[in-house]
Amino acid sequence: MKSEKDGRRLRFALIGGGPGSFIGSVHRIAAELDREIELVAGAFSSDNARSAEAGAVFRVDPARAYPDVATMLRAEAVRPDGIDFVTIATPNHHHLPAARAALEAGIAVMSDKPATATLEEARELADIVAGADVPYALTYTYSGYPLVREARARVADGAIGRVTKVIVEYPQGWLATATDSKQAAWRLDPKRAGPGGCIADIGVHAFHLAEFVTGLRVTQLLADLGSVVPGRALDDDCQLLLRFENGARGALLASQIMIGERNGLRLRIHGDRGGIDWRQETPNMLVVHHSDGRTELVQAGDASLGADATARLRTPGGHPEGYLEAFANLYRDFAMLLRGGKAPLLPGIADGLRGMALIETAVHASRDESGWAPLIV
Amino acid sequence: MKSEKDGRRLRFALIGGGPGSFIGSVHRIAAELDREIELVAGAFSSDNARSAEAGAVFRVDPARAYPDVATMLRAEAVRPDGIDFVTIATPNHHHLPAARAALEAGIAVMSDKPATATLEEARELADIVAGADVPYALTYTYSGYPLVREARARVADGAIGRVTKVIVEYPQGWLATATDSKQAAWRLDPKRAGPGGCIADIGVHAFHLAEFVTGLRVTQLLADLGSVVPGRALDDDCQLLLRFENGARGALLASQIMIGERNGLRLRIHGDRGGIDWRQETPNMLVVHHSDGRTELVQAGDASLGADATARLRTPGGHPEGYLEAFANLYRDFAMLLRGGKAPLLPGIADGLRGMALIETAVHASRDESGWAPLIV
Amino acid sequence: MKSEKDGRRLRFALIGGGPGSFIGSVHRIAAELDREIELVAGAFSSDNARSAEAGAVFRVDPARAYPDVATMLRAEAVRPDGIDFVTIATPNHHHLPAARAALEAGIAVMSDKPATATLEEARELADIVAGADVPYALTYTYSGYPLVREARARVADGAIGRVTKVIVEYPQGWLATATDSKQAAWRLDPKRAGPGGCIADIGVHAFHLAEFVTGLRVTQLLADLGSVVPGRALDDDCQLLLRFENGARGALLASQIMIGERNGLRLRIHGDRGGIDWRQETPNMLVVHHSDGRTELVQAGDASLGADATARLRTPGGHPEGYLEAFANLYRDFAMLLRGGKAPLLPGIADGLRGMALIETAVHASRDESGWAPLIV
Amino acid sequence: MKSEKDGRRLRFALIGGGPGSFIGSVHRIAAELDREIELVAGAFSSDNARSAEAGAVFRVDPARAYPDVATMLRAEAVRPDGIDFVTIATPNHHHLPAARAALEAGIAVMSDKPATATLEEARELADIVAGADVPYALTYTYSGYPLVREARARVADGAIGRVTKVIVEYPQGWLATATDSKQAAWRLDPKRAGPGGCIADIGVHAFHLAEFVTGLRVTQLLADLGSVVPGRALDDDCQLLLRFENGARGALLASQIMIGERNGLRLRIHGDRGGIDWRQETPNMLVVHHSDGRTELVQAGDASLGADATARLRTPGGHPEGYLEAFANLYRDFAMLLRGGKAPLLPGIADGLRGMALIETAVHASRDESGWAPLIV
């Protein structure tokens, strides 16, 4: 299918990503990495001056650093070189309104996770997405790593047999003590983050990764969420036991109070014929356990990698690729979608709904100590 | 206190450890490693011929390879060079009768874990031990590693502050498929193993290690035990959430169906001022996370090690010591006890009782899906 | 100093980087990563059609995909939005003519290493650079890693005392068997690569890294270069012993025939008060040995990092950054230079000369088996 | 062949191993580990009181703690339970006289490496061994590791093809600063150690390991030995380039001044069809690179291990075995020899001669800066 977009870079605007934001700049780098996309505009902050300041840092045309989303959408709509999509990189409570505005204006959306602040909002958003003509996608970043894609392909191909056990962990330490950094403040504020703290910030990443690589859905969970640092309204440490649709049992351990841990997302999946083990901090390697007891280190660049993983690497083996490149792989998928192609592995609203269901189910089940709870989207 | 034992090696007999046993030979090596102790006798098997065969392999005087425990205890009692203690290395259901016989004969006991086959038996044994004049100890082997001792000392000294989070895992893969090896058979047979499979075989090790290093008791647990390989009467995979007496939360993951895992016991403890991380398969190293974010690799032989860890190393740094040496450290402690000294870190019947309580509580709580269960000894 | 460049992205053209090139695309990504620079033109290939094809892949204006360097320099000179610099990403024998043409046209140069094909050419280039009004820099990529910068700063600050021992190794395996890939072909052809094979391709990287981090110059070397795979005109395996200006001894091991090795550049520096250890394949970590025997793992994002390393990281700790980001750090330095600032750590022609001297000295000393040879630039 | 030794443990005496010795106790543990051998006597020190003191520590019959070797050999010769062999664990200059005395008395010898203090002495000893009726062996300990045996078997079986490259390194840090510990003092004293320092203490270990695993002899070397810490009469840091009999090139890096290094012996061997990598500090693992680029982690206990490695493991996979167990494997081989069997992999006088040739060749070649020197035994 031919499109006027074929001959040019796609254009996008950031919503959020103002001064002090970490993720705004990450989106910009990731989106532009493959020269498929360029940042041309933004409503970087609800404060006009700060939005302009961020626009200057990003080297965006000053006329396109807007004070708010509505203004931006109106202004861009009438430009011949107007935006093709927005990226939403705000605290969670802005996700729904921003996505709604864009989609209703016929502008595609790439959104930070979790999809929204609450499950109810996510259901509303799902309806909007269903009625929209343009794509909506979600940056569950870790699914963009080439060796995560490789793991998924191998599991799907039966390399480890029937999945029997899943352990996914995500330890961090940056919230181990009371802090009032900007990054911490909104994540621990129910008004901006929603009902989940750690579970919503990183637990959903771990959850998505586990479902993404196994290709299996979690159907039940036992949850134990805690606020370890006194005075917090939201959880900063979570432990969940999981049951998958095929009967496999699993555990999900996420924490933000484990001093010395940085971003230790790790996924282990075992089946009746083998196992795999992947760690985000050494992302270019996959440990593969074979049924005969052999242990193999599969690495980026290896000839044994499948086509999907290989296509998502930009350098030869031994040249480490990392977080930004994984993030860029999601944008590459998104660009493919926008140009009329397919991107079956790119997370979308269905994944967003499941994540929100996880958060709310875990929060309620933990609070009520109600034992095994069904995970219903 | 002077003793006639001072000038000589202590003498012991093995109960169990016949042909095909792995652990009997381990006990022999460990006991003799420091030349404090020597193997002189045994009731290696309930089959007389097999007992004699094992005695020959161990190079024990043929006259001292006995057909049963009672015969052995009678015969040794009248020898001037009779045994000082027995080591019990049998399937679980023999632990209580063997220990009772020895203790009632005034012979000290070193027993394999778990203490007995059931909690009720353990309570009976506790009474017997309480009334005995001679020591009883239990080989929770992993507490003998020098760097585990170091971890314990550092936690006790406040190096990581108040403990807030404990993750202990013990993945193995050797029971991932149906097998009828001798080692597997009795461990999966409720008549010989008791009510727990994986939880009783390795779960208790993980549990003891967590309590040993934190110095804290588990007070409640949520348990999910499963028999992954069809047809098993006992669990081969366990996931537990824990609550410690100071409110810290924890998780215990033990499994025998994770293909490719060998003996991956690992303990992570985090507190409000740091964290530690130890792995059995690289036992001479301790990762220490400091409150200022620095990560230190503490290694066997380092000048920063405390006296207790240093005293339990036999070679300079960089000369790996392993499982047999850790095991030998328990025997060194036990020899100290037998010679009238103290060995406060050597596991005893109190630890045995707690282990049995863990097994039964977990088995019942998992079966009943009864939510958080108190751990009552 | 104010410049018209301040308000805009710098513009560059690629020389080389045509179809089949790996490094052209790397330069493009690295240069653009921080949005300080953009690719606008190129003489991507000496074949006109292939140059146009590459231009389309890079999404460059078709009018700016030139058939040769001279045409490009002329055409860009008269554009109001003409290029600020060229990047030379060709086989070695084109480095000198391309750099000369650009510099004589008043266009700055960022060049692949090694500087030229021969030492004589490098001396000629040094004269040209000395007389030019615009900067010349060299992509010794590995010096761009944040933790390499950290290592350098720590050594300079005396953290390891007087340097006594340097081991730098660079094992690869991709040339372990005969191959006629485009990447291999020119590197093994003296006409295009110059007199060195492995020593010129990766040995110089290792050499530069060692001098960069120690801050010390190599003054003598013993070289043993070999062509392991039969029929090669150039070396594919090198072993050098080094002597540094302060008397420290060192070894440099580089190889392209070690099957299973990918890009294992590793640098160990020891002094009389400590040591450091860095590996390219896990680039976000630095092992630091302290004089009291403590071993510390310093990681990207740690508070203990110096300002220079921290400024060259784009994400929080635990979000792996890799080769492209390190490469981008050189371009960031280069942009700073072009805007009138300073970039004292960016490799330049002096480093280029030293690299060429290394290559020729090693090749001759190895061939002549002449023992310790002085390294004279 | 039946022997009166079949039904009993072999008996040995230690020569050396007095108070303050590290290696004496290691010999005792290693020899006794498999219950094939027991320590019954010793000439532990040339100081009578210290010999008696050591005897008590070792729990040896006080009557068998002798003041000197000659007395011991005479006394033991007339006992019905006299010794079967001696272990020589003294500084190097005592190796020859002790071995000569024992062999001439018809007593077998297990000796610490290096064989003697000088090459001339080694030649003399070789003649004595050639004329003796009893075995002589040498504790090149690292050849006793099961996975080293596995590596040797795989190389011999052609798993990596024709060997093309060998890198063996042995970094330590314990002599990085001036020290007058007993362990350091004799090793740095030419009168007691011979002409080599680091090269004789650990360099020979690395050399033996490289020849042992490759099955190839070194024929030429380039040597650079240095005394980094001022005032030393012997080398504390060595770098050698090697050429093997099949033309393979290699490097040997040994050092005792690399702060933070403990006992980092590592061997990498690459061939035209693969490679292997073994590290002493994680001795239960072998990295195997296959010709198709796959990387395998072979571990103790794996079903893929050959019979020889498996026979030298005492515990199931995942139960770390270390230095003492490797050492014990040499004693197991030695016991086999003494009982009339074969032990083809046990190092003997031929290995001893080669080690002494290495030391003297390296010392002279380094001093004379004479370029490539032939290694002649």
Side-chain angles (χ1 to χ4, degrees):
Chain A
M1 195 175 66
K2 260 295 174 188
S3 149
E4 68 82 31
K5 296 193 185 85
D6 287 0
R8 64 168 177 86
R9 295 171 78 179
L10 300 168
R11 297 179 292 260
F12 85 112
L14 257 180
I15 299 177
S21 159
F22 133 63
I23 203 71
S25 167
V26 163
H27 278 284
R28 199 275 305 157
I29 293 173
E32 296 193 334
L33 200 79
D34 289 324
R35 215 178 164 84
E36 287 278 342
I37 296 170
E38 62 185 326
L39 176 69
V40 298
F44 303 103
S45 169
S46 51
D47 175 304
N48 200 359
R50 291 168 63 81
S51 188
E53 181 190 336
V57 167
F58 282 125
R59 296 188 182 278
V60 158
D61 176 352
R64 297 172 89 174
Y66 300 97
D68 59 71
V69 174
T71 305
M72 176 170 78
L73 291 170
R74 268 194 312 271
E76 291 289 318
V78 297
R79 293 182 66 111
D81 61 350
I83 56 174
D84 297 299
F85 72 92
V86 295
T87 282
I88 302 175
T90 64
N92 305 344
H93 65 310
H94 291 310
H95 289 188
L96 173 62
R100 180 168 43 206
L103 293 170
E104 289 180 357
I107 294 296
V109 170
M110 180 67 117
S111 174
D112 258 9
K113 44 51 60 187
T116 53
T118 67
L119 177 55
E120 193 185 347
E121 284 185 2
R123 290 188 177 125
E124 185 182 339
L125 179 56
D127 288 341
I128 298 168
V129 169
D133 293 330
V134 289
Y136 167 93
L138 208 56
T139 52
Y140 279 124
T141 320
Y142 304 104
S143 65
Y145 274 111
L147 288 177
V148 166
R149 299 269 171 112
E150 178 71 15
R152 186 186 193 282
R154 291 190 180 221
V155 172
D157 287 352
I160 64 167
R162 189 177 60 84
V163 171
T164 54
K165 178 86 179 186
V166 179
I167 301 177
V168 62
E169 54 184 285
Y170 200 153
Q172 293 186 332
W174 68 293
L175 294 178
T177 50
T179 168
D180 54 3
S181 76
K182 176 175 172 171
Q183 294 296 332
W186 76 257
R187 282 177 171 82
L188 293 165
D189 173 5
K191 291 204 195 71
R192 290 178 279 176
C198 174
I199 186 76
D201 192 31
I202 61 174
V204 290
H205 272 304
F207 170 78
H208 180 263
L209 190 69
E211 292 200 340
F212 180 81
V213 179
T214 59
L216 295 170
R217 293 182 176 207
V218 171
T219 52
Q220 289 184 81
L221 58 84
L222 258 174
D224 178 30
L225 275 52
S227 301
V228 172
V229 175
R232 286 190 175 153
L234 297 177
D235 61 288
D236 51 20
D237 181 80
C238 343
Q239 330 187 102
L240 281 75
L241 302 184
L242 309 175
R243 193 75 80 244
F244 288 81
E245 56 182 310
N246 76 339
R249 57 170 43 78
L252 185 163
L253 307 176
S255 181
Q256 298 181 308
I257 56 92
M258 289 171 66
I259 291 176
E261 293 287 351
R262 287 152 184 91
N263 204 35
L265 179 60
R266 179 184 181 192
L267 176 65
R268 284 175 278 180
I269 304 176
H270 284 260
D272 57 12
R273 294 221 310 274
I276 59 163
D277 188 349
W278 177 82
R279 297 168 190 235
Q280 195 268 152
E281 295 190 1
T282 47
N284 298 298
M285 183 155 61
L286 194 65
V287 181
V288 175
H289 301 292
H290 295 285
S291 58
D292 59 3
R294 282 179 309 107
T295 303
E296 193 179 340
L297 291 186
V298 174
Q299 297 185 58
D302 281 9
S304 71
L305 290 187
D308 194 60
T310 297
R312 270 154 187 84
L313 287 160
R314 291 167 184 83
T315 54
H319 296 76
E321 301 192 35
Y323 178 78
L324 294 171
E325 289 85 354
F327 216 121
N329 284 331
L330 298 190
Y331 273 101
R332 184 187 288 189
D333 282 351
F334 193 58
M336 220 175 290
L337 265 193
L338 291 178
R339 295 186 194 280
K342 289 193 191 310
L345 300 184
L346 181 66
I349 188 62
D351 305 276
L353 267 169
R354 292 193 61 73
M356 295 313 302
L358 172 84
I359 296 166
E360 299 219 348
T361 307
V363 168
H364 296 152
S366 175
R367 189 191 56 206
D368 302 344
E369 299 197 1
S370 51
W372 285 98
L375 181 64
I376 299 169
V377 173
Chain B
M1 195 175 68
K2 262 292 175 189
S3 148
E4 67 83 30
K5 296 191 185 84
D6 287 1
R8 62 168 177 86
R9 294 172 80 180
L10 300 168
R11 296 179 292 261
F12 84 110
L14 255 180
I15 299 177
S21 159
F22 133 63
I23 203 70
S25 167
V26 164
H27 277 284
R28 199 277 303 157
I29 293 174
E32 296 193 334
L33 200 79
D34 289 324
R35 215 176 162 85
E36 287 278 343
I37 296 170
E38 62 184 327
L39 176 70
V40 298
F44 303 103
S45 169
S46 51
D47 176 305
N48 200 0
R50 291 169 63 79
S51 189
E53 181 191 336
V57 167
F58 282 125
R59 297 189 181 278
V60 157
D61 177 351
R64 298 172 88 173
Y66 299 98
D68 60 72
V69 173
T71 305
M72 176 170 78
L73 290 170
R74 271 196 310 271
E76 291 290 318
V78 298
R79 293 182 67 111
D81 61 350
I83 55 173
D84 296 301
F85 72 93
V86 295
T87 282
I88 303 174
T90 64
N92 305 344
H93 66 310
H94 291 309
H95 288 191
L96 173 62
R100 180 167 43 207
L103 293 170
E104 289 179 356
I107 294 295
V109 170
M110 180 66 116
S111 173
D112 258 7
K113 47 49 57 186
T116 53
T118 67
L119 177 55
E120 193 184 346
E121 284 185 3
R123 291 190 177 123
E124 183 181 341
L125 179 55
D127 288 340
I128 297 167
V129 169
D133 293 330
V134 288
Y136 167 92
L138 208 57
T139 52
Y140 279 124
T141 320
Y142 304 104
S143 65
Y145 274 110
L147 288 177
V148 166
R149 300 270 171 114
E150 177 71 14
R152 187 186 194 282
R154 291 190 180 220
V155 172
D157 287 353
I160 63 167
R162 189 176 61 84
V163 171
T164 53
K165 178 86 180 186
V166 179
I167 301 177
V168 62
E169 54 184 286
Y170 199 154
Q172 294 186 332
W174 67 292
L175 295 177
T177 50
T179 168
D180 54 4
S181 76
K182 176 175 171 172
Q183 294 296 332
W186 76 256
R187 281 177 172 83
L188 293 165
D189 173 5
K191 293 205 193 70
R192 290 177 279 175
C198 173
I199 186 77
D201 191 32
I202 60 174
V204 289
H205 272 304
F207 170 77
H208 179 263
L209 189 69
E211 290 200 339
F212 180 81
V213 178
T214 60
L216 295 170
R217 293 182 177 208
V218 171
T219 52
Q220 289 183 81
L221 58 84
L222 257 173
D224 178 29
L225 275 54
S227 301
V228 171
V229 175
R232 284 189 177 154
L234 297 178
D235 62 287
D236 52 20
D237 182 79
C238 342
Q239 329 188 103
L240 281 74
L241 302 184
L242 309 175
R243 193 75 80 243
F244 288 81
E245 57 182 310
N246 75 340
R249 59 169 41 77
L252 186 163
L253 307 176
S255 180
Q256 298 181 308
I257 54 93
M258 288 169 67
I259 291 176
E261 293 287 351
R262 288 150 184 91
N263 204 36
L265 178 60
R266 179 184 181 191
L267 175 64
R268 284 175 279 180
I269 305 177
H270 284 260
D272 58 10
R273 295 221 309 273
I276 59 163
D277 188 348
W278 177 82
R279 296 170 191 234
Q280 195 267 156
E281 295 189 3
T282 48
N284 298 297
M285 183 156 61
L286 194 64
V287 180
V288 175
H289 301 291
H290 294 285
S291 58
D292 58 4
R294 282 180 310 107
T295 303
E296 193 179 340
L297 291 186
V298 175
Q299 297 186 57
D302 281 9
S304 71
L305 290 187
D308 195 61
T310 298
R312 271 155 186 85
L313 287 160
R314 292 166 184 84
T315 54
H319 298 76
E321 301 192 34
Y323 178 77
L324 294 170
E325 291 84 354
F327 216 122
N329 284 331
L330 297 190
Y331 273 101
R332 184 189 287 188
D333 282 350
F334 194 57
M336 220 175 290
L337 266 192
L338 291 178
R339 295 187 193 281
K342 290 191 188 314
L345 300 184
L346 182 65
I349 189 62
D351 305 277
L353 268 170
R354 293 193 61 73
M356 295 312 301
L358 172 84
I359 295 166
E360 300 219 346
T361 307
V363 168
H364 296 152
S366 175
R367 188 191 55 206
D368 303 343
E369 298 197 0
S370 52
W372 286 99
L375 181 65
I376 298 168
V377 173
Chain C
M1 197 174 66
K2 261 295 176 187
S3 147
E4 68 83 30
K5 297 191 184 86
D6 287 1
R8 62 169 177 87
R9 295 172 78 180
L10 300 168
R11 297 180 292 260
F12 84 110
L14 257 179
I15 299 176
S21 158
F22 133 63
I23 204 69
S25 168
V26 164
H27 277 284
R28 199 278 303 157
I29 294 173
E32 295 193 336
L33 200 79
D34 289 323
R35 215 177 163 85
E36 288 278 344
I37 296 169
E38 62 184 328
L39 176 70
V40 298
F44 303 102
S45 170
S46 50
D47 176 306
N48 200 1
R50 290 168 65 81
S51 188
E53 181 191 337
V57 168
F58 283 125
R59 295 188 182 280
V60 159
D61 177 353
R64 296 173 88 174
Y66 300 98
D68 59 73
V69 175
T71 305
M72 177 171 76
L73 291 169
R74 269 194 311 271
E76 290 290 318
V78 298
R79 292 182 68 111
D81 61 350
I83 56 174
D84 296 302
F85 71 92
V86 295
T87 283
I88 303 174
T90 64
N92 305 346
H93 66 310
H94 291 310
H95 288 190
L96 173 63
R100 179 168 41 206
L103 292 170
E104 288 178 358
I107 294 296
V109 170
M110 179 68 118
S111 173
D112 259 9
K113 48 48 61 185
T116 52
T118 67
L119 178 55
E120 191 184 348
E121 284 184 1
R123 289 189 179 127
E124 183 181 341
L125 179 55
D127 288 341
I128 298 168
V129 169
D133 292 330
V134 288
Y136 168 93
L138 207 57
T139 52
Y140 278 124
T141 321
Y142 304 104
S143 66
Y145 273 110
L147 288 177
V148 165
R149 300 271 172 113
E150 179 71 16
R152 186 186 194 283
R154 291 191 179 219
V155 171
D157 287 354
I160 64 168
R162 189 175 60 85
V163 171
T164 53
K165 177 86 180 185
V166 179
I167 301 177
V168 62
E169 54 183 284
Y170 199 154
Q172 294 186 331
W174 69 291
L175 294 177
T177 49
T179 169
D180 54 4
S181 77
K182 176 175 171 172
Q183 294 296 330
W186 74 257
R187 283 176 170 83
L188 292 165
D189 174 6
K191 291 205 194 69
R192 289 178 281 174
C198 175
I199 187 75
D201 192 31
I202 61 174
V204 290
H205 272 305
F207 170 77
H208 179 263
L209 190 70
E211 291 200 339
F212 180 81
V213 179
T214 59
L216 295 170
R217 293 183 175 206
V218 171
T219 52
Q220 290 184 80
L221 57 84
L222 258 173
D224 177 30
L225 275 53
S227 301
V228 172
V229 175
R232 285 190 176 154
L234 297 177
D235 63 288
D236 52 19
D237 182 79
C238 345
Q239 328 188 103
L240 281 74
L241 302 184
L242 309 175
R243 192 75 80 244
F244 288 81
E245 57 182 307
N246 76 339
R249 60 169 41 77
L252 186 162
L253 307 176
S255 180
Q256 297 182 309
I257 56 93
M258 289 171 67
I259 291 177
E261 293 288 350
R262 287 150 184 92
N263 204 35
L265 179 61
R266 178 184 183 193
L267 175 65
R268 286 176 276 179
I269 305 177
H270 284 261
D272 58 10
R273 295 221 310 274
I276 59 164
D277 188 350
W278 178 82
R279 297 170 190 235
Q280 195 267 153
E281 294 190 2
T282 49
N284 298 295
M285 183 155 63
L286 194 65
V287 180
V288 175
H289 301 291
H290 294 285
S291 58
D292 59 3
R294 283 179 309 108
T295 303
E296 194 177 341
L297 290 185
V298 174
Q299 296 184 58
D302 281 10
S304 71
L305 291 187
D308 194 60
T310 297
R312 270 155 186 84
L313 288 159
R314 291 167 185 82
T315 55
H319 297 75
E321 301 191 34
Y323 177 77
L324 295 171
E325 290 84 355
F327 216 122
N329 284 331
L330 297 190
Y331 273 100
R332 184 188 286 187
D333 282 351
F334 193 58
M336 221 174 289
L337 266 193
L338 291 178
R339 294 186 194 283
K342 291 192 188 313
L345 300 184
L346 182 65
I349 188 63
D351 304 276
L353 267 170
R354 293 193 61 73
M356 295 313 302
L358 172 83
I359 295 167
E360 300 218 347
T361 307
V363 168
H364 296 152
S366 176
R367 189 192 53 205
D368 303 344
E369 298 198 1
S370 52
W372 285 99
L375 182 64
I376 298 170
V377 172
Chain D
M1 195 173 67
K2 261 293 176 191
S3 148
E4 69 80 31
K5 296 192 185 86
D6 287 0
R8 62 167 176 87
R9 294 171 79 179
L10 299 168
R11 297 179 291 261
F12 85 111
L14 255 180
I15 299 177
S21 158
F22 133 63
I23 204 70
S25 168
V26 163
H27 277 285
R28 200 276 303 157
I29 293 174
E32 295 192 335
L33 199 80
D34 290 323
R35 215 177 164 85
E36 288 278 344
I37 296 170
E38 62 184 326
L39 176 70
V40 297
F44 303 103
S45 169
S46 52
D47 175 306
N48 201 2
R50 291 168 65 82
S51 188
E53 181 190 337
V57 167
F58 281 124
R59 296 188 181 279
V60 158
D61 177 351
R64 296 172 88 174
Y66 300 98
D68 59 71
V69 174
T71 306
M72 177 170 78
L73 291 170
R74 270 195 310 272
E76 290 290 319
V78 297
R79 293 183 67 111
D81 62 350
I83 56 173
D84 296 302
F85 72 92
V86 295
T87 283
I88 303 174
T90 64
N92 305 344
H93 66 310
H94 290 310
H95 288 189
L96 172 62
R100 180 168 42 205
L103 293 170
E104 289 178 356
I107 295 296
V109 170
M110 180 67 118
S111 173
D112 259 8
K113 47 50 57 186
T116 53
T118 66
L119 177 56
E120 192 185 347
E121 284 185 2
R123 291 190 178 126
E124 183 182 342
L125 180 55
D127 287 341
I128 298 168
V129 170
D133 292 331
V134 289
Y136 167 93
L138 207 56
T139 52
Y140 279 124
T141 321
Y142 304 103
S143 65
Y145 274 109
L147 287 178
V148 166
R149 300 268 172 116
E150 178 71 14
R152 186 186 193 283
R154 291 190 180 220
V155 172
D157 287 352
I160 64 168
R162 188 177 60 85
V163 171
T164 53
K165 177 88 180 182
V166 179
I167 301 177
V168 61
E169 55 184 285
Y170 199 154
Q172 293 186 330
W174 68 293
L175 294 178
T177 49
T179 170
D180 54 5
S181 77
K182 175 173 172 172
Q183 294 296 330
W186 76 257
R187 281 177 171 82
L188 292 166
D189 174 4
K191 293 207 191 69
R192 289 177 280 175
C198 174
I199 186 77
D201 192 32
I202 60 174
V204 289
H205 272 305
F207 171 78
H208 180 263
L209 189 70
E211 290 200 339
F212 180 81
V213 178
T214 59
L216 295 171
R217 294 184 175 205
V218 171
T219 52
Q220 290 183 80
L221 58 83
L222 257 175
D224 177 30
L225 275 54
S227 300
V228 171
V229 176
R232 286 189 175 154
L234 297 177
D235 62 287
D236 51 19
D237 182 78
C238 344
Q239 327 188 104
L240 281 75
L241 302 184
L242 309 175
R243 192 74 80 245
F244 288 82
E245 57 182 309
N246 75 341
R249 57 169 44 76
L252 186 162
L253 307 176
S255 180
Q256 298 181 308
I257 55 93
M258 288 171 66
I259 293 177
E261 293 288 351
R262 289 150 183 90
N263 204 35
L265 178 60
R266 178 185 183 192
L267 175 65
R268 284 176 276 180
I269 304 177
H270 284 260
D272 57 10
R273 294 221 311 274
I276 59 164
D277 188 350
W278 178 82
R279 297 170 191 235
Q280 195 268 152
E281 295 189 3
T282 49
N284 298 296
M285 183 156 62
L286 193 65
V287 180
V288 175
H289 301 292
H290 294 286
S291 58
D292 59 3
R294 282 180 310 107
T295 303
E296 193 179 340
L297 290 185
V298 174
Q299 296 185 57
D302 281 9
S304 70
L305 290 188
D308 194 60
T310 298
R312 269 152 188 87
L313 288 160
R314 293 167 183 82
T315 54
H319 297 76
E321 301 191 35
Y323 178 78
L324 294 170
E325 291 84 354
F327 216 123
N329 284 332
L330 297 190
Y331 273 101
R332 183 188 287 188
D333 281 351
F334 193 58
M336 220 174 290
L337 266 193
L338 291 178
R339 293 186 195 283
K342 290 191 189 311
L345 299 185
L346 182 65
I349 189 62
D351 304 277
L353 268 170
R354 292 193 63 71
M356 296 312 302
L358 172 83
I359 296 167
E360 301 219 346
T361 307
V363 168
H364 296 153
S366 176
R367 189 192 54 204
D368 304 343
E369 299 198 1
S370 52
W372 285 99
L375 182 64
I376 299 170
V377 173

